[in-house]
Amino acid sequence: MPEWGRVNRKHPCCICDRTDWCGTSPDGTLACCMRVKSDRPTKNGGWLHRIINAPLQSAPRLHAPPPRVPSRCAIDWAAMLRRFERDTRKADVERLAANLGVSPCSLSSLGIVWAAPHHAWGFPMSNAARETIGVRLRTESGRKWAIPGSHNALFWPKDLTGRGPLLFCEGPTDTAALLDLGYDAIGRPSCEGAVEMVIEVVQHLHRRDVVVVADADEPQRQPDGSVRRPGLDGANRLAQALTEAGYRPKVIQPTQGKDARAWLQAGATRAVVDAVIASALYWRAPRG
């Protein structure tokens, strides 16, 4: 029976876009992703996904061609963002900033644009090399999704000072809040996302003072009786990965509000957040 092909740098996983662990079926119709869950778990600990637009075959070939991964659709993100930027009005950005409780300057630093075809605001998502690989959309009411073809990645500000700690938080608006407080901050796509990208960024920027800002989510009781705190659990997993990579991160949570933006709206200042960071211990794996 033909073996599944392994992903690599030339042909990354078409589900999670990473270059290791995952695989593709010999006929190119299925992907086994080791990171993104589906309703079809596999024996090796991954999840099975059908590759969109891959040809369906009624029976396996006796002489299968070499394993292949369908090439990603080439999207000119820079051209798309330039088109969106032409529809972006300063007054509308200022209005959104007032509604969110952050500054127009911080939103602009994150590259905010009005994505008119989607009737939503767009935030570029970039990889560790600062290459745009997707756009996160957000409506005025707060609904969030991404432009088709996007890959979850990081929300980078235009400039980092290189001074003080480097903070990682969830989402672009929390990133804007931390930028308003004067921090170097980069946003993750979710509480679980872009772990490897974060490590690459820290390595590339040679930053040793790293802080993960976790959302203070309400505890969620699971069917097995355990309690899950998505924001804190995701932050701890990132901190563990950073620790295993040789860094000494800290994890903090807002002392008021559920996230960094709510914390800012509740009156947090740079001095307040500095004090919380200073009092936090370097992350250590929980015992037991």
Side-chain angles (χ1 to χ4, degrees):
M1 187 174 183
E3 293 185 359
W4 282 50
R6 302 290 294 181
V7 300
N8 53 43
R9 289 186 178 275
K10 186 176 180 181
H11 299 293
C13 176
C14 59
I15 304 301
C16 69
D17 202 37
R18 306 312 299 171
T19 58
D20 55 5
W21 296 0
C22 308
T24 306
S25 65
D27 61 6
T29 63
L30 298 172
C32 178
C33 183
M34 304 301 292
R35 298 175 177 85
V36 178
K37 295 182 180 180
S38 74
D39 58 358
R40 302 175 68 184
T42 58
K43 292 182 179 179
N44 66 345
W47 293 270
L48 205 60
H49 300 261
R50 180 168 293 282
I51 299 174
I52 298 173
N53 296 329
L56 294 175
Q57 298 190 9
S58 56
R61 298 178 182 179
L62 295 177
H63 303 286
R68 67 176 180 84
V69 176
S71 60
R72 288 173 289 172
C73 184
I75 299 176
D76 191 339
W77 296 106
M80 180 187 294
L81 291 168
R82 285 194 297 270
R83 292 196 301 271
F84 292 164
E85 190 173 2
R86 289 195 290 268
D87 294 323
T88 306
R89 297 188 303 178
K90 181 180 178 182
D92 290 335
V93 175
E94 291 174 345
R95 176 179 52 79
L96 177 68
N99 290 339
L100 294 174
V102 298
S103 73
C105 181
S106 66
L107 293 179
S108 296
S109 178
L110 292 166
I112 191 171
V113 291
W114 175 248
H118 304 279
H119 305 287
W121 293 98
F123 292 90
M125 293 188 289
S126 302
N127 59 20
R130 304 195 73 157
E131 301 165 331
T132 301
I133 58 175
V135 176
R136 167 75 62 82
L137 298 173
R138 178 191 176 102
T139 63
E140 297 278 355
S141 63
R143 187 170 75 88
K144 304 164 192 172
W145 74 104
I147 289 178
S150 295
H151 296 275
N152 279 330
L154 302 171
F155 301 102
W156 282 86
K158 290 180 180 177
D159 297 299
L160 296 172
T161 67
R163 299 188 298 272
L166 176 60
L167 275 56
F168 289 94
C169 59
E170 293 181 38
T173 60
D174 278 10
T175 308
L178 294 174
L179 292 174
D180 282 340
L181 291 173
Y183 289 104
D184 278 356
I186 298 174
R188 301 169 66 197
S190 67
C191 63
E192 299 282 355
V195 170
E196 292 183 16
M197 285 187 193
V198 169
I199 294 173
E200 290 178 42
V201 168
V202 173
Q203 291 172 337
H204 176 72
L205 296 179
H206 305 290
R207 302 294 286 263
R208 304 300 304 180
D209 199 0
V210 180
V211 178
V212 184
V213 184
D215 281 5
D217 300 311
E218 290 293 327
Q220 299 177 2
R221 181 71 62 178
Q222 302 301 296
D224 62 0
S226 63
V227 175
R228 182 171 180 264
R229 295 174 174 83
L232 185 58
D233 293 344
N236 282 332
R237 277 188 277 274
L238 174 58
Q240 179 177 354
L242 285 164
T243 300
E244 291 171 353
Y247 297 93
R248 300 182 67 200
K250 291 184 175 184
V251 173
I252 67 168
Q253 287 185 289
T255 56
Q256 291 180 284
K258 70 173 290 291
D259 54 28
R261 183 161 62 90
W263 199 7
L264 176 65
Q265 292 173 330
T269 63
R270 175 66 184 251
V272 167
V273 181
D274 278 348
V276 172
I277 294 173
S279 64
L281 301 176
Y282 290 107
W283 187 87
R284 296 181 64 181
R287 295 182 178 178

